[in-house]
Each structure stands twice: as structure tokens, then as C-alpha cells.
Amino acid sequence: MSDATPDETMRARVLRVADSLLDEAGPDQLSLRKIAELADTSTQAVYTQFGGKPGLVDAMYRSGYQRLADELDGVPDFADPIERIRALGLAYRRVALANPEHYKLMTGRPIADFDAPRDSLRFAASTMQPLVDAVREACDVGALDGDPRTIAMRFWAAGHGRVSLELQGLVEVDDDEASEYIDRLINAHRPRRTGDEHTAADG
């Protein structure tokens, strides 16, 4: 049974089918023959549109990051930048949990012979910009202390590590725990003020 719809271009149809197959069946099932069958086309048409499997996988890699970018761009512009940082972290986790196989393609190497081209890596890196902007705003109002890009990178890396463990089943996390984890990251970068720490003599 074909998954094709008549109003899609051939390239969009093949990419949608490949994305769905990855999410539903995992990377081992990504054969051009199967994708072509589901898209109601030929393997030659897939080669014509993408230049072969590496080009198709690259398009899938980029579509995963586009999905992440769209989710992050949809986060409300809270008046409090700390609230926006928290919301961005939760949005990142939602994307990963909703599309675990695609997330593994974006952040790992489930397809051993695929290396993302440099321009695709630049696009992937650009999806962090909303977090950088929110952290910079928080630094500007004194809610966080440090270099905005460095702090944002720490948040991004920590979020990736945590959700990767969650996807592997190595940690069990619910929404409240995820939010608390983000709060701990944020609090670790708040400015230190006199009286925040007590000496042992103070008890």
C-alpha cells in the first residue's frame, strides 16, 4: 500500500516517507527500495532527487533539525528570560522523545557510513540560537552570570546528555523531574551575592 499523496512534490514525498520509516522502523529498515515502494515511485527517482542514499539521509538529518528549529521558534517570548530558557529546554526534550530514532540520527551515528556535510552541521548548530539569545537576555538583566554562548552551550550539552540517557532507558524522568533538572542548571549559573554562602563557623 502506497503512502503517497497526490499534492506533494516527488522530493517532499520521498523525504516524508523516509522520515516516517525511520521513526517507525529504525535505521536498519532504510532501504531505497522500501522507501521508493512506500512513496509510490522508483529507486531511480530517489537517486534523481537525492543522488543516492547519503543525500537522502542528509536531507533527513536536516529535516530533523528543522523540526527542532520550528519547535524552539514556537516557544513563547516570555517577559522573564529564565522562563524562556526553561521552556526551550522542555521543548528540546519533547522533540527528542517524540522522534527518538530521528534524534539519534541527528546526534549520533546510527547509519555508520553517513557523515553530515559541513553546511548541514552549520544548520544544526544554528538551532541553538534561540537559547543563546535567551541566555544573553538573562545575562543582560543580571539573572545569569557569564558568557552567554558558553552558558548556552553548557545547557545544550547537558540537555542532550540527559535526554540521551532517558532514550536509552538508563534513567527514568518525568516532566516535573526534567523541569527541576533545568532549574538546577540555571541556578548553577546565577550570580553569586554576598550571603549566598555560609562558612562552617556560621553553621
Side-chain angles (χ1 to χ4, degrees), residues 8-150:
E8 291 178 299
T9 66
M10 178 61 71
R11 181 180 176 88
R13 180 191 305 170
V14 170
L15 181 57
R16 177 182 61 78
V17 166
D19 283 342
S20 296
L21 186 60
L22 174 64
D23 287 334
E24 294 169 7
D28 292 341
Q29 299 301 312
L30 286 178
S31 74
L32 295 189
R33 183 182 298 276
K34 181 65 172 178
I35 292 167
E37 177 186 343
L38 292 173
D40 196 21
T41 189
S42 65
T43 54
Q44 183 57 49
V46 177
Y47 274 99
T48 299
Q49 294 294 327
F50 297 95
K53 188 173 180 179
L56 175 57
V57 175
D58 180 46
M60 296 168 65
Y61 174 89
R62 292 179 69 99
S63 75
Y65 274 103
Q66 185 62 60
R67 186 184 299 172
L68 176 61
D70 292 343
E71 185 76 16
L72 297 181
D73 287 343
V75 170
D77 191 13
F78 294 98
D80 181 356
I82 295 297
E83 286 297 320
R84 181 164 172 78
I85 292 169
R86 184 181 295 108
L88 288 168
L90 294 174
Y92 181 100
R93 176 174 177 265
R94 281 197 304 274
V95 170
L97 296 184
N99 309 279
E101 295 298 335
H102 219 130
Y103 183 76
K104 292 173 187 175
L105 173 63
M106 294 158 58
T107 60
R109 292 198 66 184
I111 300 174
D113 57 352
F114 171 69
D115 290 303
R118 186 166 299 178
D119 62 333
S120 295
L121 291 172
R122 284 196 294 266
F123 174 66
S126 74
T127 60
M128 191 176 72
Q129 192 60 45
L131 179 60
V132 175
D133 293 341
V135 171
R136 179 174 291 111
E137 184 178 352
C139 290
D140 288 345
V141 299
L144 295 177
D145 184 30
D147 173 68
R149 182 163 290 277
T150 300

